[in-house]
Amino acid sequence: MADGIRSTNLELNNSNLREVLGHVDLGGGVMVLRRQPIEVFVAYLAGLAGVDPNFVAELAAQITQETTDRQAADAAELARAQLAEAILARTQSRTALGLLSQLDVSTKGPVPTAFAIDEARARSIVIPDAASTIALYPILGQSLAVGATTGAVISTTTAYPGRQLMPAGGLHTYGSLSDLIDMREGVDIVEYETIASGFASHLIRDLDAAIPNNNFRIASFISALGGRSYYQLTEGSEQFTFAMRSIHQAYQQQRLKGSRLVVPGVLWIQGENDVSAGWGDHYDLMLHQLQQRLQARIQAITGQTEPVILYVSQTNHINPWDATVYQRLQEAQIRAAACNPLICLVGPTYSFAVNSADHIHKTSRGAYEMGQMFARAVFMRQYGSARSPALTPIDVWRATPPNGVAARLCATFRVPVEPLVLDTSGNVIAVSGAAAAPNGTGGGYGFWVYDDLGNVVPISSVSVAVPSTQFLGAPRLNIDLAVAPTSRYLRVNYAQRRDNDNADTNDGPLTGARGCVRDSAAHVSIVGGGQQHNWSVQFSRLIAA
């Protein structure tokens, strides 16, 4: 065409042709463009060629029907493919949801629990999601957390195979945890006992006694380093980083195996390096910070909603220059537990045997029994009825003395298992030196009283006045003084003084800062069958005279 629409300007398309475009002669040399249906155009061509128009119409109809049938078949095939794809997608989704339901507790609805009531001890026990959960309790701190330094290994085999677990390479992971296997001691860098086996075995034993066949699994590892203060072990330190890395690795491994790993608590054994550092009064704030940091990091790793409780043993190591005042770090540990429900003071450590060479680090037996103490605390605080696991003071005051007594002080206690006992047998605590029987010239059974000038007010006797709350008020001790003090204030200390007041390192039940006040727990040891009690924490009170 010379004028009008050029064919090269139109898009080349192989789809079914519906109409044609052409010029129509209107006469007088006038030509206009018109559209014409393809059927009419074909009939026109057939007429020019002498073909029957009816044949053309039938052929066009046949072609149209074949096209329609082919389109319908294509649509049906597409629908079948889309249905198959949808079925596959639903199957994959259901499989994924089924796997996730095994790995994670639903955010809606109740968590399955194992529950029992112990009427004899007036308590209940509950284990959340016992069948599919592994409870991991990392052990952090300094050298007492690392382990013992003398004595034969006690836990050479696992007391509860498949349920008492540790990292495959040993308890001391240092940031590398390949798998969880049965726990036993002395298989890595530490050739002596740690607290881990005593802790895990007694906790499982006590949970089984309360709820048989619960199949609950307990795991633990150690990330600790001796000779370090708090600021060298908190977040950002190598040991803290190692611990978080190990938790992450354990979580990922168990998730792939279909188990849910949670960290309900962390066992913290530390403070010796901070005792004489000058910030003992601030140690409670350090523990608050540590608990918050641990919980934030661990919840981010595991996705758990459960809080992370910080279980703290009271440091036995003292500053001898504070013996006539008070041990500031030990008091801070008591304050931290009293103010923060997510910090649990499990008890003192002076009753556990120490290495006779250094008088600080525990023997293998001492470490094992220390783990047993942690197990009692975790059992009661985490799974029991939340009674105090530690024997702690409530009040100390000066009372009206009876005839023949120069002055009397009274001290009440919160006792885990009553009655309150003044144990003068010497079977655990040496009744000598700083813990000798009172004779009217110094202290008595671990108690020491000072006036406001720091002078010793001698004690004449210590006795249990009220052994149990079933008698009259809280369990109470009477501390009778040999002379009537004239100062305005008195300082009453318990287990704050060593036999040797010099700046040495003597700790433990024979020569360390200790006392004779305990409860009646009688918690039986798995190894040896001995009975373990809750001994009173080391404490100090300033009272009006």
Side-chain angles (χ1 to χ4, degrees):
M1 298 181 297
D3 300 311
I5 299 175
R6 298 181 183 277
S7 62
T8 56
N9 293 338
L10 298 178
E11 178 184 359
L12 180 63
N13 195 309
N14 294 326
S15 59
N16 295 331
L17 191 64
R18 295 286 181 252
E19 62 183 27
V20 296
L21 186 68
H23 286 93
V24 176
D25 188 359
L26 297 181
V30 178
M31 302 287 286
V32 295
L33 284 173
R34 288 285 189 271
R35 293 184 302 139
Q36 191 174 65
I38 187 64
E39 294 86 355
V40 176
F41 178 68
V42 170
Y44 172 73
L45 292 178
L48 292 177
V51 179
D52 185 358
N54 293 331
F55 172 77
V56 173
E58 292 175 359
L59 180 61
Q62 181 179 352
I63 293 172
T64 301
Q65 184 61 44
E66 290 177 354
T67 301
T68 302
D69 292 344
R70 185 171 63 254
Q71 290 174 341
D74 291 345
E77 182 65 26
L78 178 62
R80 284 192 294 270
Q82 290 174 337
L83 178 61
E85 185 177 353
I87 293 173
L88 177 61
R90 283 198 300 271
T91 302
Q92 292 173 339
S93 297
R94 288 171 179 169
T95 302
L97 289 173
L99 178 60
L100 289 174
S101 67
Q102 297 176 19
L103 297 177
D104 300 297
V105 175
S106 173
T107 57
K108 298 181 180 179
V111 175
T113 60
F115 177 78
I117 294 179
D118 184 354
E119 294 287 2
R121 298 178 179 86
R123 68 186 183 189
S124 61
I125 297 91
V126 60
I127 307 175
D129 198 17
S132 61
T133 298
I134 295 178
L136 174 63
Y137 289 90
I139 301 170
L140 311 181
Q142 51 185 111
S143 58
L144 290 182
V146 174
T149 58
T150 186
V153 170
I154 295 172
S155 306
T156 56
T157 59
T158 304
Y160 294 91
R163 298 178 59 197
Q164 181 182 341
L165 306 172
M166 73 170 187
L171 283 162
H172 302 81
T173 64
Y174 294 101
S176 177
L177 196 156
S178 60
D179 201 359
L180 293 176
I181 64 171
D182 286 345
M183 183 184 296
R184 59 192 181 94
E185 301 281 343
V187 298
D188 57 13
I189 63 170
V190 176
E191 57 182 315
Y192 305 104
E193 193 85 5
T194 73
I195 74 163
S197 292
F199 164 72
S201 61
H202 285 93
L203 181 54
I204 293 173
R205 190 271 309 270
D206 292 350
L207 289 172
D208 283 359
I211 306 178
N213 303 316
N214 64 74
N215 201 37
F216 199 46
R217 291 168 289 174
I218 303 293
S220 192
F221 68 80
I222 297 171
S223 183
L225 188 61
R228 297 297 185 272
S229 295
Y230 167 78
Y231 72 89
Q232 297 168 307
L233 295 169
T234 187
E235 186 172 22
S237 70
E238 192 173 47
Q239 297 306 314
F240 191 99
T241 302
F242 284 163
M244 296 306 104
R245 187 182 303 160
S246 296
I247 293 171
H248 180 263
Q249 292 170 347
Y251 172 77
Q252 294 294 344
Q253 292 159 8
Q254 297 310 310
R255 183 179 176 86
L256 293 175
K257 294 180 179 181
S259 293
R260 179 173 183 262
L261 184 136
V262 297
V263 183
V266 173
L267 314 187
W268 178 254
I269 308 171
Q270 196 273 338
E272 291 80 13
N273 231 55
D274 298 271
V275 162
S276 56
W279 50 75
D281 289 326
H282 304 273
Y283 194 76
D284 52 335
L285 303 179
M286 298 176 188
L287 291 178
H288 293 317
Q289 182 191 67
L290 178 64
Q291 188 279 324
Q292 292 168 352
R293 287 176 169 179
L294 286 168
Q295 178 164 302
R297 301 300 169 261
I298 290 171
Q299 287 181 335
I301 292 171
T302 66
Q304 67 188 65
T305 58
E306 296 93 333
V308 178
I309 300 174
L310 184 63
Y311 293 94
V312 180
S313 59
Q314 191 183 40
T315 303
N316 183 210
H317 197 63
I318 67 168
N319 183 352
W321 310 116
D322 288 339
T324 59
V325 187
Y326 66 95
Q327 297 300 320
R328 294 179 291 169
L329 186 135
Q330 283 82 350
E331 285 297 307
Q333 290 171 325
I334 296 174
R335 285 198 307 273
C339 296
N340 189 337
L342 296 180
I343 296 177
C344 177
L345 184 61
V346 305
T349 58
Y350 58 78
S351 64
F352 305 118
V354 298
N355 186 338
S356 59
D358 62 29
H359 299 283
I360 292 182
H361 300 97
K362 304 302 179 185
T363 64
S364 285
R365 183 73 199 188
Y368 179 83
E369 293 177 351
M370 192 169 164
Q372 182 181 348
M373 176 184 68
F374 271 95
R376 288 203 315 276
V378 171
F379 176 85
M380 184 54 69
R381 173 62 182 84
Q382 199 100 47
Y383 307 102
S385 299
R387 294 180 181 176
S388 172
L391 198 163
T392 54
I394 299 174
D395 287 309
V396 180
W397 70 96
R398 184 171 178 178
T400 302
N403 292 333
V405 176
R408 170 168 288 178
L409 307 179
C410 293
T412 53
F413 294 85
R414 183 164 59 179
V415 181
V417 181
E418 297 177 357
L420 181 67
V421 176
L422 186 66
D423 190 338
T424 61
S425 67
N427 293 333
V428 176
I429 303 299
V431 185
S432 59
N439 59 11
T441 61
Y445 300 132
F447 286 97
W448 288 80
V449 180
Y450 304 91
D451 63 19
D452 52 11
L453 296 177
N455 300 312
V456 173
V457 180
I459 297 173
S460 59
S461 70
V462 180
S463 61
V464 177
V466 179
S468 176
T469 53
Q470 64 180 314
F471 295 101
L472 181 63
R476 187 178 82 238
L477 286 178
N478 287 342
I479 305 168
D480 291 342
L481 306 179
V483 297
T486 58
S487 62
R488 295 183 60 188
Y489 298 98
L490 294 175
R491 172 69 65 178
V492 182
N493 288 351
Y494 173 80
Q496 303 261 307
R497 187 168 178 171
R498 297 189 184 107
D499 285 4
N500 184 348
D501 287 336
N502 295 327
D504 57 22
T505 58
N506 284 347
D507 294 330
L510 302 182
T511 61
R514 65 198 187 280
C516 301
V517 180
R518 65 166 175 84
D519 74 349
S520 300
H523 190 252
V524 178
S525 173
I526 293 176
V527 177
Q531 295 183 346
Q532 190 177 107
H533 311 291
N534 294 300
W535 295 85
S536 174
V537 298
Q538 300 168 242
F539 68 90
S540 178
R541 292 293 181 270
L542 183 66
I543 66 170

Tab-separated table of all heavy atoms in Angstrom, residues 479-499:
chain	number	residue	atom	x	y	z
A	479	ILE	N	21.053	-16.895	122.114
A	479	ILE	CA	22.497	-16.664	122.243
A	479	ILE	C	22.697	-15.844	123.516
A	479	ILE	O	22.373	-14.648	123.548
A	479	ILE	CB	23.054	-15.907	121.018
A	479	ILE	CG1	22.698	-16.651	119.721
A	479	ILE	CG2	24.564	-15.721	121.136
A	479	ILE	CD1	22.952	-15.859	118.466
A	480	ASP	N	23.182	-16.501	124.554
A	480	ASP	CA	23.362	-15.818	125.843
A	480	ASP	C	24.780	-15.272	125.947
A	480	ASP	O	25.753	-15.956	125.585
A	480	ASP	CB	23.082	-16.786	126.995
A	480	ASP	CG	21.609	-17.163	127.075
A	480	ASP	OD1	20.786	-16.430	126.475
A	480	ASP	OD2	21.289	-18.188	127.708
A	481	LEU	N	24.878	-14.038	126.443
A	481	LEU	CA	26.164	-13.355	126.563
A	481	LEU	C	26.667	-13.430	127.999
A	481	LEU	O	25.887	-13.431	128.956
A	481	LEU	CB	26.031	-11.897	126.123
A	481	LEU	CG	25.443	-11.675	124.710
A	481	LEU	CD1	25.350	-10.184	124.407
A	481	LEU	CD2	26.256	-12.399	123.653
A	482	ALA	N	27.994	-13.466	128.127
A	482	ALA	CA	28.608	-13.567	129.460
A	482	ALA	C	28.584	-12.235	130.201
A	482	ALA	O	28.666	-12.202	131.425
A	482	ALA	CB	30.039	-14.085	129.329
A	483	VAL	N	28.495	-11.132	129.450
A	483	VAL	CA	28.432	-9.798	130.062
A	483	VAL	C	27.340	-9.004	129.358
A	483	VAL	O	26.994	-9.276	128.216
A	483	VAL	CB	29.782	-9.049	129.940
A	483	VAL	CG1	30.886	-9.783	130.694
A	483	VAL	CG2	30.160	-8.852	128.481
A	484	ALA	N	26.807	-8.030	130.078
A	484	ALA	CA	25.795	-7.163	129.493
A	484	ALA	C	26.479	-6.039	128.728
A	484	ALA	O	27.219	-5.238	129.322
A	484	ALA	CB	24.899	-6.596	130.583
A	485	PRO	N	26.287	-5.947	127.428
A	485	PRO	CA	26.969	-4.911	126.640
A	485	PRO	C	26.425	-3.521	126.972
A	485	PRO	O	25.257	-3.347	127.294
A	485	PRO	CB	26.651	-5.304	125.201
A	485	PRO	CG	25.404	-6.119	125.286
A	485	PRO	CD	25.453	-6.830	126.581
A	486	THR	N	27.286	-2.531	126.867
A	486	THR	CA	26.888	-1.152	127.146
A	486	THR	C	26.903	-0.279	125.893
A	486	THR	O	26.525	0.880	125.951
A	486	THR	CB	27.840	-0.544	128.188
A	486	THR	OG1	29.187	-0.602	127.702
A	486	THR	CG2	27.749	-1.294	129.508
A	487	SER	N	27.343	-0.809	124.778
A	487	SER	CA	27.386	-0.023	123.540
A	487	SER	C	25.982	0.128	122.963
A	487	SER	O	25.045	-0.586	123.339
A	487	SER	CB	28.297	-0.711	122.524
A	487	SER	OG	27.796	-1.992	122.197
A	488	ARG	N	25.823	1.050	122.047
A	488	ARG	CA	24.516	1.305	121.458
A	488	ARG	C	24.127	0.229	120.435
A	488	ARG	O	22.940	-0.032	120.215
A	488	ARG	CB	24.516	2.666	120.770
A	488	ARG	CG	24.699	3.847	121.717
A	488	ARG	CD	24.621	5.152	120.959
A	488	ARG	NE	23.349	5.314	120.293
A	488	ARG	CZ	23.067	6.303	119.435
A	488	ARG	NH1	24.010	7.192	119.124
A	488	ARG	NH2	21.877	6.402	118.876
A	489	TYR	N	25.128	-0.375	119.807
A	489	TYR	CA	24.858	-1.372	118.792
A	489	TYR	C	25.721	-2.604	119.023
A	489	TYR	O	26.792	-2.537	119.618
A	489	TYR	CB	25.137	-0.816	117.391
A	489	TYR	CG	24.264	0.361	117.029
A	489	TYR	CD1	24.746	1.667	117.168
A	489	TYR	CD2	22.973	0.172	116.561
A	489	TYR	CE1	23.938	2.758	116.837
A	489	TYR	CE2	22.170	1.245	116.223
A	489	TYR	CZ	22.649	2.537	116.380
A	489	TYR	OH	21.861	3.600	116.057
A	490	LEU	N	25.231	-3.726	118.491
A	490	LEU	CA	25.980	-4.975	118.519
A	490	LEU	C	26.018	-5.554	117.097
A	490	LEU	O	25.047	-5.445	116.345
A	490	LEU	CB	25.330	-5.994	119.459
A	490	LEU	CG	25.317	-5.674	120.954
A	490	LEU	CD1	24.530	-6.750	121.700
A	490	LEU	CD2	26.744	-5.581	121.495
A	491	ARG	N	27.130	-6.159	116.768
A	491	ARG	CA	27.283	-6.866	115.498
A	491	ARG	C	27.262	-8.358	115.804
A	491	ARG	O	28.105	-8.861	116.547
A	491	ARG	CB	28.594	-6.486	114.824
A	491	ARG	CG	28.958	-7.294	113.597
A	491	ARG	CD	28.071	-7.038	112.419
A	491	ARG	NE	28.186	-5.676	111.906
A	491	ARG	CZ	27.520	-5.243	110.840
A	491	ARG	NH1	26.679	-6.066	110.200
A	491	ARG	NH2	27.667	-3.995	110.441
A	492	VAL	N	26.265	-9.085	115.258
A	492	VAL	CA	26.134	-10.529	115.476
A	492	VAL	C	26.531	-11.231	114.184
A	492	VAL	O	25.849	-11.095	113.156
A	492	VAL	CB	24.702	-10.914	115.884
A	492	VAL	CG1	24.606	-12.412	116.141
A	492	VAL	CG2	24.259	-10.130	117.109
A	493	ASN	N	27.622	-11.964	114.216
A	493	ASN	CA	28.141	-12.673	113.045
A	493	ASN	C	28.004	-14.171	113.197
A	493	ASN	O	28.140	-14.708	114.306
A	493	ASN	CB	29.611	-12.330	112.817
A	493	ASN	CG	29.807	-10.918	112.300
A	493	ASN	OD1	28.849	-10.233	111.954
A	493	ASN	ND2	31.057	-10.478	112.245
A	494	TYR	N	27.773	-14.842	112.071
A	494	TYR	CA	27.753	-16.304	112.058
A	494	TYR	C	28.595	-16.793	110.890
A	494	TYR	O	28.413	-16.367	109.740
A	494	TYR	CB	26.323	-16.839	111.928
A	494	TYR	CG	26.264	-18.342	111.747
A	494	TYR	CD1	26.380	-19.204	112.834
A	494	TYR	CD2	26.128	-18.905	110.471
A	494	TYR	CE1	26.355	-20.574	112.662
A	494	TYR	CE2	26.105	-20.276	110.284
A	494	TYR	CZ	26.221	-21.105	111.390
A	494	TYR	OH	26.206	-22.465	111.224
A	495	ALA	N	29.519	-17.718	111.185
A	495	ALA	CA	30.390	-18.334	110.171
A	495	ALA	C	31.135	-17.283	109.362
A	495	ALA	O	31.276	-17.391	108.141
A	495	ALA	CB	29.580	-19.248	109.254
A	496	GLN	N	31.639	-16.269	110.050
A	496	GLN	CA	32.351	-15.172	109.391
A	496	GLN	C	33.835	-15.145	109.775
A	496	GLN	O	34.545	-14.221	109.398
A	496	GLN	CB	31.719	-13.833	109.803
A	496	GLN	CG	30.233	-13.704	109.509
A	496	GLN	CD	29.941	-12.927	108.244
A	496	GLN	OE1	30.405	-11.830	108.057
A	496	GLN	NE2	29.180	-13.533	107.359
A	497	ARG	N	34.265	-16.158	110.510
A	497	ARG	CA	35.623	-16.101	111.051
A	497	ARG	C	36.294	-17.463	110.944
A	497	ARG	O	35.693	-18.498	111.250
A	497	ARG	CB	35.548	-15.660	112.519
A	497	ARG	CG	36.870	-15.393	113.181
A	497	ARG	CD	36.631	-14.683	114.516
A	497	ARG	NE	37.874	-14.443	115.240
A	497	ARG	CZ	37.959	-13.691	116.327
A	497	ARG	NH1	36.871	-13.110	116.822
A	497	ARG	NH2	39.124	-13.516	116.932
A	498	ARG	N	37.554	-17.458	110.519
A	498	ARG	CA	38.344	-18.689	110.448
A	498	ARG	C	38.999	-18.987	111.787
A	498	ARG	O	39.076	-18.135	112.670
A	498	ARG	CB	39.449	-18.566	109.398
A	498	ARG	CG	39.017	-18.375	107.965
A	498	ARG	CD	40.243	-18.499	107.072
A	498	ARG	NE	39.927	-18.237	105.666
A	498	ARG	CZ	40.281	-17.133	105.038
A	498	ARG	NH1	40.943	-16.186	105.674
A	498	ARG	NH2	39.977	-16.975	103.762
A	499	ASP	N	39.555	-20.196	111.892
A	499	ASP	CA	40.363	-20.520	113.067
A	499	ASP	C	41.594	-19.622	113.119
A	499	ASP	O	41.988	-19.139	114.167
A	499	ASP	CB	40.813	-21.982	113.030
A	499	ASP	CG	39.674	-22.935	113.368
A	499	ASP	OD1	38.541	-22.454	113.551
A	499	ASP	OD2	39.923	-24.148	113.424
